[in-house]
Structures are given as C-alpha cells and as structure tokens.
Amino acid sequence: MFWSAPRRVFYETTFMVHHKFPANDCKLLFRETSRAITNKEGAVFRILDLGWRHTAQPVIKKNDPPLICHYGRWYVMSWGGPPVLVREMTDILRYSNGVLRFLTTKIRGPQDVYRPRTTFYPVLEPRDRIAPPLIHHTLMNEVR
C-alpha cells in the first residue's frame, strides 16, 4: 500500500510593518505566524530583520482614519510546510493591523533566497587597497 505524506515546500515571506506598530505586537505577530506554521507540521528557518526602509511611494492602509506611511520596518521569514499554509499566512498578515505590505514567494532553488546587502558590497581586508598603486606614471629618463 502506498503511503502519501504531506508535501513540503519552502517559502519566503517578506512583509512591512508600519512605524506605529508596537514592538510587543510585532513579537505576537511572529508568534502567531510561527504557531500557524508549526501546527501544520511546518518549520520556521529564519526571521530576518531588514530594518527601517523608506518606500518609493506612500503606502496607504485603509483604516479609520487612513494611515499613510512613507517608511516601515521590513522582515523576511523563511519557512517550509505544506502548500495549504500559504493561504493561512496570507490571512494572518492581511488582517493584521500593523502589516502594510507582504509577499510570499516559493523558493525553487538557492538563487531565490534573500541575500543580505553585504553580498553586494564586499568587505575589504586591511591589506587590500581601494585603488591600485599609481603605475601609469612612467619614470623619466635622467636629465643630463
């Protein structure tokens, strides 16, 4: 007899929290999303805080009164679980008061994982130079 196990897929959820959302509520949001993932036999691999970032355009949250934000705190959550969890994560983040924007993407390979900014700006060792030595000046012949 063939035993069918639930399929596990890896996902990455990026979301932005507005500046008036308290830190304790943010911890509760992480706890709620982690609980939803682990209840369906999934696993949370990493929660990465990307810090405060400005947005290119104002983000409007339709509350009463509407909340207009020009910046927010970005987080990236890497997790794995059955595909049914995507809908549950969407519901949790959509109906949260603090989340302005979110996006869940399926990780198909290592190239899809978020890379920190340090990969774009290499760190120089103390012995390395920013510019090569000036070798374009040729020595003049000795003047007699």
Side-chain angles (χ1 to χ4, degrees):
M1 178 149 218
F2 180 75
W3 296 94
S4 63
R7 216 173 102 195
R8 302 280 188 277
V9 188
F10 300 110
Y11 295 97
E12 197 167 64
T13 301
T14 307
F15 56 96
M16 179 176 134
V17 176
H18 67 78
H19 63 282
K20 294 183 180 179
F21 198 57
N24 289 336
D25 291 348
C26 200
K27 287 181 184 178
L28 289 174
L29 178 66
F30 291 142
R31 188 175 296 157
E32 186 177 357
T33 54
S34 300
R35 180 193 48 78
I37 293 169
T38 54
N39 282 349
K40 300 274 186 179
E41 297 182 4
V44 177
F45 302 120
R46 174 177 72 175
I47 298 175
L48 184 63
D49 181 6
L50 300 179
W52 295 96
R53 305 275 174 97
H54 287 274
T55 58
Q57 297 177 347
V59 179
I60 301 171
K61 177 87 171 178
K62 295 179 181 175
N63 289 347
D64 188 29
L67 180 65
I68 301 172
C69 296
H70 296 276
Y71 62 94
R73 192 165 194 164
W74 289 90
Y75 294 97
V76 175
M77 179 185 289
S78 301
W79 55 279
V84 182
L85 272 174
V86 175
R87 181 66 183 160
E88 192 168 341
M89 286 288 289
T90 301
D91 289 341
I92 291 171
L93 295 174
R94 179 179 292 146
Y95 298 116
S96 173
N97 291 335
V99 178
L100 293 174
R101 294 285 186 265
F102 65 91
L103 177 68
T104 300
T105 56
K106 186 177 183 180
I107 298 175
R108 289 180 168 75
Q111 71 277 5
D112 293 338
V113 179
Y114 174 80
R115 292 188 184 101
R117 288 184 71 105
T118 56
T119 57
F120 299 113
Y121 302 108
V123 179
L124 293 175
E125 296 294 325
R127 67 181 180 278
D128 293 338
R129 298 176 59 130
I130 294 176
L134 297 175
I135 58 171
H136 61 278
H137 295 286
T138 57
L139 294 174
M140 293 177 51
N141 293 336
E142 192 173 317
V143 180
R144 293 187 188 161

